[in-house]
Amino acid sequence: MESTESSYVSSPEQPQKRSPPPPASPPSDSEEKPTYTRFLVSNAAAGSVIGKGGATITDFQSQSGARIQLSRNYEFFPGTSDRIIMVSGGIDDVLKAVELIIAKLLSEIPAEDGDEAEPRMRVRLVVPNSACGSIIGKGGSIIKSFIEESHAGIKISPLDTKFFGLTDRLVTVTGTLEEQMHAIDLILSKLTDDPHYSQTMHAPFSYAAYNSMNHGPNGAAVKFQHNKDDITNSVTIGVADEHIGLVVGRGGRNIMEISQTSGARLKISDRGDFMSGTTDRKITITGSQRAIRAAEDMIMQKVSYASERETD
């Protein structure tokens, strides 16, 4: 079950007990301010969050009042094999949902014989680069205070420049459930007050174009090559030869639709002209960054759908 678009149900149930908010929490009227958080989960763990027939994710939405969305099973955060969970709603609802998800994941960590220590894990939050400054602070003062107050480990990764157009960084939080929730509370409260962060709440929820993993034995392997000039960018991706027909469509219908919808220009290499070391045909996409991203997403959706049907 991969449906993550079901409507959430508001629930009168009380939230699970979590650590009290920091003294410097925003005023109560900001508690209902819409916000969101995104974090990574392994493909295997995603199944336990969804549950049989979507039962678990529906229950978590009902208990928390937040909306929980999960990227598709081929959509990974760039440079990882992890999917992205997005939780949105009022800040308290979001924190309740995050705690339910983390507690579920922690409960599935096998305990060592004789080990009575509380289980620990890492949570990797996805934060726009433009908003990271608000949780770092001058000279790292804010992030240091968050670490001291929560007793959790907090580390912010540098922006990965290998992925063209990527504007998100990973904030890794480690510790017990209580420590992690205290840290996430502090981080999310700070981010929610940052106008740069709120502006990204409705940004496209897609990383499919970055994924370089094969979808089954004949999947699409993506390789980025970009030549920038003042007006346009150019990116070349590889698509398995047997899937090129899906991209082109009958009479070229699909490729024309992709071009018209995205605003990008597409050129497919001739038969036998493959990406180096593969049997993948080249598709060169030219246009603005936004047009390229849109075209890549549409191509990957067509190819991935076919690959999923082959492996069923």
Side-chain angles (χ1 to χ4, degrees):
M1 174 77 178
E2 286 299 320
S3 175
T4 57
E5 295 296 324
S6 57
S7 300
Y8 69 80
V9 181
S10 296
S11 170
E13 296 179 37
Q14 292 301 310
Q16 289 188 350
K17 183 181 178 182
R18 64 178 175 89
S19 53
S25 283
S28 58
D29 63 348
S30 72
E31 289 177 5
E32 295 306 314
K33 185 188 295 183
T35 191
Y36 77 99
T37 188
R38 291 177 292 166
F39 58 99
L40 305 188
V41 64
S42 71
N43 207 23
S48 68
V49 175
I50 296 170
K52 188 174 183 179
T56 304
I57 197 169
T58 300
D59 180 49
F60 286 176
Q61 289 186 127
S62 178
Q63 286 191 56
S64 66
R67 188 180 188 202
I68 305 171
Q69 296 169 275
L70 194 66
S71 68
R72 288 163 289 191
N73 60 6
Y74 60 85
E75 258 188 306
F76 305 126
F77 186 81
T80 77
S81 57
D82 294 323
R83 290 162 71 177
I84 306 98
I85 292 180
M86 179 170 171
V87 184
S88 55
I91 188 167
D92 280 352
D93 294 346
V94 169
L95 288 166
K96 280 183 254 177
V98 171
E99 184 170 21
L100 288 166
I101 294 168
I102 296 175
K104 172 72 173 174
L105 298 177
L106 278 169
S107 72
E108 300 191 353
I109 297 175
E112 299 290 337
D113 289 340
D115 184 7
E116 296 182 0
E118 190 173 345
R120 302 168 70 88
M121 62 176 280
R122 67 174 181 170
V123 176
R124 286 175 295 170
L125 306 175
V126 179
V127 177
N129 184 50
S130 59
C132 282
S134 67
I135 57 175
I136 295 172
K138 189 173 182 180
S141 59
I142 293 176
I143 194 169
K144 287 176 185 174
S145 71
F146 286 177
I147 292 169
E148 289 172 3
E149 186 168 339
S150 67
H151 302 292
I154 306 173
K155 184 177 180 182
I156 303 178
S157 71
L159 186 65
D160 194 336
T161 57
K162 295 196 299 292
F163 295 95
F164 182 54
L166 179 64
T167 57
D168 291 325
R169 293 163 73 176
L170 294 177
V171 178
T172 302
V173 182
T174 55
T176 64
L177 176 60
E178 183 178 357
E179 290 165 350
Q180 286 180 323
M181 286 312 304
H182 196 163
I184 293 170
D185 190 337
L186 291 164
I187 291 167
L188 189 57
S189 296
K190 193 72 175 175
L191 288 172
T192 300
D193 287 337
D194 185 331
H196 294 293
Y197 189 71
S198 59
Q199 287 169 6
T200 62
M201 184 170 178
H202 302 293
F205 183 52
S206 174
Y207 293 101
Y210 291 116
N211 298 156
S212 59
M213 302 191 68
N214 285 343
H215 311 303
N218 300 313
V222 180
K223 181 178 179 181
F224 284 87
Q225 301 168 338
H226 32 273
N227 304 306
K228 287 187 183 180
D229 56 41
D230 291 339
I231 302 171
T232 60
N233 300 306
S234 180
V235 170
T236 299
I237 68 174
V239 170
D241 195 28
E242 58 267 42
H243 290 156
I244 282 293
L246 296 169
V247 178
V248 176
R250 182 175 294 179
R253 182 171 58 189
N254 288 355
I255 199 167
M256 288 176 61
E257 179 190 354
I258 292 169
S259 181
Q260 289 173 357
T261 303
S262 67
R265 296 191 303 276
L266 285 76
K267 181 180 179 182
I268 299 177
S269 65
D270 296 331
R271 288 182 182 276
D273 183 5
F274 300 130
M275 299 285 281
S276 178
T278 75
T279 57
D280 294 342
R281 297 269 290 280
K282 303 173 186 174
I283 301 181
T284 301
I285 309 169
T286 305
S288 67
Q289 251 180 277
R290 180 176 295 179
I292 290 171
R293 287 283 298 278
E296 287 170 338
D297 279 353
M298 294 175 74
I299 291 168
M300 294 298 289
Q301 284 172 10
K302 291 184 181 299
V303 173
S304 297
Y305 175 69
S307 300
E308 286 174 1
R309 289 182 65 185
E310 288 171 4
T311 55
D312 283 346

